[in-house]
Amino acid sequence: MSLFDLNLQQIHAKLQGKELKVADLVDQSYTRIQQVESKVRAFLTLDEENARQAAAKLDEQFASSNERGHLFGLPIGIKDNMVTEGLKTTCASKILSNFMPIYDATVVSKLKDAQTVTIGKLNMDEFAMGGSNENSAFHPSHNPWNTDYVPGGSSGGSAAAVAAGEVYFALGSDTGGSIRQPAAYCGIVGLKPTYGLVSRYGLVAFASSLDQIGPLTKNVEDSAYLLQAIVGYDPKDSTSAKVDIPDYLSALTGDIKGLRIGVPKEYMGNGIDPAVKERVLEALKVLEGLGAVWEEVTLPHTEYAVAAYYLLASSEASSNLARFDGVRYGVRSDNARNLLDLYHMSRSEGFGPEVKRRIMLGTYALSSGYYDAYYLKAQQVRTLIKQDFDQVFEKFDIIIGPTAPTPAFKIGEQSSDPLTMYLNDIMTIPVSLAGIPAISVPCGFVNELPVGLQVIGKALDEATLLRVAHTFEQHTDHHKQRPQL
C-alpha cells in the first residue's frame, strides 16, 4: 500500500507519533514517479536533491520540537507557471526553457512556511492556454485512468500527478476552468477560489482578470487544508482581496439540510453527454436524500460565455505576453540582425501555435476600430453573466452541474479543431468570468473514465462549497477509487 493512500489526518498522526519520517514520504513520491512517470509524464522538472535535503532538515527539526502543522512534510507538485526560486519555471514554453527565477511566488512561500516539500514542477498547456495538455512545448501528459486519453488542461500535469499518486497534492491555476476540468477528467478534487482570495504574485500571467491559483487534491478535506494555507491578503498583488478568512475545516459539518440548489438548464441541455447528465442527476439524488432541495434555474447568457471569454482572455494575453521579447529574460534568437528581428524571431521560435493564435486574436480585438466592436462588447457580456449568477444566488445557496460536457477525450482527437477544444470549457468559463468560486468533485464514471460534479458558490463563500462537496463525498465512494497504472 502507498503511504499516499492514507488520508492527511492519518499521515499527520504517524508523523506526530514518529512512526513516519518526512524522508519516507519523499521516498514514496520519487519511487512512484520512477514507476509511472514514463506513462503519465506529469512533470517537466524534478528537484530530487533539494527535496531530500529539505526532508532531512525537517526530520532533524522535529527531533527537537513537537510542533507540526497538518501540511508538515507533505510532498507537493507546483504547476510550472508559478515561479520558484532556483528551480526552473518554463510555463511549458520554449521561450522560457532556460528561465531560473530569483524569488518564490507568494503561494510557494506560504507552502514553504507550512513546511511542505516541493517535488518538482508540473506540465501544463503552454502559458496555460489549452484544455488537454497537448499544447505543452515539451510533451503531453497522459490521463492515469487510460493513458491514451488527455488529463485535461491547462493544469493537466498537476491533476495527473495527484491521480497517479506521484505527489500528495498539487497547485494549479484556473483561468477558464484549468483546475476544475482536469480534476474532473482525472477523478480528483479541484477548487477554483474566488478571484482575489489567493495571491497571484509570482504566477506568470495569462489573463490577469481571470487567473486564480487553487488546490488539486485527492479529497475535499485535503482541499480545505491546502486552501487554508494559501489564502490571505498580499500587498504584492494589487488584486488581492483584504477580507477575513474563515476556518474552512470547521465548515465540514456534513449537514446540508434545507440547502437550496439551483441546476441551470443550460448546463444539462444539448451538447452534454447523456451519461454525464445521468451521473449529475444521481448526485442530486444523493444530496436530496441528505435534506437538500433542488430546482431548475436559468443562466440565460451562458451561450455567449465562450465567445466573450476567448476575446477577453486573448486580449489580456496579448498584453501580458508582450514582455517576452528575447531581451530581458528567456530564450532569444541567435539569428537576429537587428532589434526588430530579435523581437520577431525570438517570439516566432519561442511561442507555440496556440499561444500565437491567441496573441493574434487578442491583438486584433484591441486594435483601433475593433475595440468597441469586440473587447468592449465582451466586457458587457461578462457583466450580464455575473448578473445571471447574482440573480440565482438571491434564491439559492449553490449551483450544481457537470464540470465538463463529456469525459476525457483521446490524445490527438481534437488537437486539429481549436473551436471544439474551446467548447469543452462551456461549463467552467461562466464561473471564471463572474469571479466566483467552484469546486469539481468525482461523481462517477462513463466508459471507465471519471466524471466531475461542479459545485458553484457565492463570492468568498468557499466554506459552503467545501461543506456541500465534503458531504457528498462522504456519502459516495467515487473519490476512493484510484487508477491502476
Side-chain angles (χ1 to χ4, degrees):
M1 183 185 78
S2 167
L3 290 174
F4 293 173
D5 290 332
L6 301 173
N7 64 36
L8 191 148
Q9 294 278 17
Q10 291 170 324
I11 289 177
H12 180 68
K14 286 183 178 293
L15 286 168
Q16 286 291 115
K18 298 185 179 180
E19 301 173 49
L20 196 61
K21 292 183 177 181
V22 177
D24 298 328
L25 295 172
V26 173
D27 278 341
Q28 174 68 66
S29 189
Y30 285 113
T31 297
R32 183 62 173 169
I33 288 169
Q34 189 174 29
Q35 291 171 346
V36 304
E37 182 60 12
S38 61
K39 301 175 186 176
V40 178
R41 309 201 74 189
F43 283 90
L44 289 176
T45 304
L46 292 171
D47 195 27
E48 185 168 359
E49 182 178 350
N50 286 327
R52 293 191 183 279
Q53 288 176 1
K57 186 176 180 180
L58 290 174
D59 283 328
E60 185 180 340
Q61 285 177 356
F62 185 61
S64 57
S65 170
N66 285 323
E67 293 183 13
R68 287 186 172 185
H70 273 84
L71 302 187
F72 179 91
L74 291 175
I76 184 168
I78 307 290
K79 186 176 178 180
D80 203 27
N81 60 348
M82 300 170 209
V83 298
T84 43
E85 183 179 3
L87 182 59
K88 192 161 63 172
T89 299
T90 71
C91 293
S93 177
K94 289 180 180 177
I95 205 164
L96 285 178
S97 59
N98 64 353
F99 177 50
M100 193 73 71
I102 58 173
Y103 69 99
D104 283 325
T106 294
V107 289
V108 174
S109 295
K110 283 176 175 282
L111 289 175
K112 284 184 176 179
D113 290 343
Q115 298 179 304
T116 61
V117 179
T118 300
I119 296 301
K121 302 298 287 293
L122 291 157
N123 199 13
M124 56 185 282
D125 288 289
E126 185 180 3
F127 283 102
M129 299 181 191
S132 67
N133 220 258
E134 294 169 285
N135 291 331
S136 170
F138 304 110
H139 56 76
S141 295
H142 298 254
N143 193 316
W145 291 93
N146 185 329
T147 54
D148 291 334
Y149 286 74
V150 302
S154 63
S155 306
S158 298
V162 174
E166 295 180 297
V167 291
Y168 194 79
F169 46 57
L171 288 184
S173 67
D174 192 308
T175 307
S178 292
I179 289 174
R180 292 160 287 158
Q181 184 245 39
Y185 283 2
C186 291
I188 62 169
V189 175
L191 171 63
K192 184 203 89 71
T194 303
Y195 180 79
L197 188 64
V198 178
S199 173
R200 293 186 300 111
Y201 179 75
L203 174 69
V204 180
F206 162 18
S208 302
S209 74
L210 295 159
D211 298 339
Q212 187 65 138
I213 296 169
L216 291 121
T217 61
K218 295 184 299 180
N219 58 60
V220 176
E221 184 179 53
D222 290 357
S223 188
Y225 275 110
L226 188 50
L227 181 65
Q228 198 82 56
I230 62 174
V231 295
Y233 174 69
D234 181 8
K236 296 176 183 177
D237 175 7
S238 62
T239 61
S240 181
K242 190 179 285 189
V243 296
D244 293 332
I245 304 299
D247 180 354
Y248 296 118
L249 270 300
S250 66
L252 308 183
T253 63
D255 181 12
I256 59 167
K257 289 179 182 176
L259 185 85
R260 298 165 298 168
I261 302 171
V263 180
K265 65 179 183 181
E266 293 82 5
Y267 289 15
M268 301 289 277
N270 294 334
I272 311 303
D273 185 319
V276 169
K277 181 178 178 180
E278 186 61 31
R279 298 294 89 77
V280 173
L281 291 172
E282 290 169 359
L284 286 168
K285 287 180 182 177
V286 171
L287 296 172
E288 200 173 25
L290 296 169
V293 293
W294 67 274
E295 185 180 323
E296 186 177 82
V297 298
T298 182
L299 297 170
H301 295 96
T302 298
E303 63 178 305
Y304 308 112
V306 172
Y309 169 83
Y310 279 99
L311 280 168
L312 295 173
S314 297
S315 296
E316 293 184 24
S318 170
S319 176
N320 280 324
L321 270 63
R323 72 192 70 178
F324 301 105
D325 53 14
V327 176
R328 287 161 288 190
Y329 49 81
V331 173
R332 70 172 62 183
S333 174
D334 295 326
N335 303 313
R337 294 168 296 178
N338 53 50
L339 185 61
L340 288 179
D341 263 5
L342 179 64
Y343 290 164
H344 172 73
M345 297 178 75
S346 295
R347 291 167 174 165
S348 295
E349 296 167 13
F351 289 140
E354 182 62 27
V355 174
K356 292 175 185 174
R357 182 182 295 118
R358 298 200 194 190
I359 289 174
M360 288 189 289
L361 174 60
T363 303
Y364 179 81
L366 292 174
S367 62
S368 177
Y370 297 101
Y371 178 93
D372 289 349
Y374 296 107
Y375 182 80
L376 183 59
K377 278 190 170 56
Q379 288 286 27
Q380 292 168 338
V381 170
R382 182 179 191 172
T383 299
L384 294 173
I385 289 169
K386 183 183 183 302
Q387 289 173 351
D388 286 348
F389 282 108
D390 290 343
Q391 289 171 10
V392 171
F393 283 131
E394 288 176 3
K395 296 181 179 179
F396 296 89
D397 300 306
I398 59 165
I399 294 169
I400 279 181
T403 307
T406 67
F409 48 89
K410 282 190 174 182
I411 293 173
E413 188 176 324
Q414 297 183 10
S415 55
S416 62
D417 187 356
L419 184 57
T420 299
M421 187 84 74
Y422 296 167
L423 291 172
N424 288 318
D425 293 333
I426 185 65
M427 308 298 170
T428 53
I429 280 174
V431 175
S432 296
L433 289 172
I436 55 179
I439 189 169
S440 177
V441 292
C443 69
F445 293 82
V446 172
N447 298 326
E448 299 183 347
L449 292 168
V451 173
L453 180 75
Q454 182 175 212
V455 184
I456 304 165
K458 301 173 185 177
L460 300 172
D461 192 15
E462 279 75 7
T464 297
L465 280 191
L466 290 163
R467 175 166 58 91
V468 174
H470 182 256
T471 302
F472 172 74
E473 186 181 77
Q474 295 305 299
H475 290 84
T476 60
D477 62 359
H478 309 306
H479 69 288
K480 296 179 182 178
Q481 300 183 51
R482 296 282 177 261
Q484 301 299 313
L485 281 164

